[in-house]
Amino acid sequence: MIAGMWDDLDLSDRGIPGADVYVVQPDGTHIIFRWLGVQFGDGTPINFEIELRADGVVTTRYGDGNVNLLPVVGISGVA
């Protein structure tokens, strides 16, 4: 499991225009998932992405906003 920002996220347009999960695959070696929205309840902006590469590298990037949050962030594997 990859938890880039495990929290209560509002990805509807009522929270922020253009809110959604976006998927980009620049080439055959990696894919990028991007979240744009707000936190349920207080409207704190959420903006982050996770890049998965074919070589197993996982990269997380956090944009503007993402303040006053207490999310779970991490990577877990199968034992």
Side-chain angles (χ1 to χ4, degrees), residues 19-52:
D20 207 343
V21 177
Y22 297 91
V23 180
V24 178
Q25 190 167 9
D27 58 44
T29 64
H30 63 289
I31 189 167
I32 301 169
F33 298 90
R34 180 172 175 255
W35 286 259
L36 175 63
V38 297
Q39 184 177 28
F40 274 113
D42 69 2
T44 299
I46 305 294
N47 181 8
F48 71 100
E49 67 183 29
I50 299 173
E51 178 180 343
L52 306 176

Side-chain angles (χ1 to χ4, degrees), residues 1 3 6 10 12-14 16-17 19 31-32 34-35 39 44-45 47 56 60-61 63-66 73-76:
M1 180 176 129
W6 191 1
D10 182 354
S12 68
D13 279 339
R14 73 175 181 266
I16 188 170
I31 189 167
I32 301 169
R34 180 172 175 255
W35 286 259
Q39 184 177 28
T44 299
N47 181 8
T60 54
R61 296 181 191 92
D64 294 337
N66 307 319
V73 177
I75 298 175
S76 171

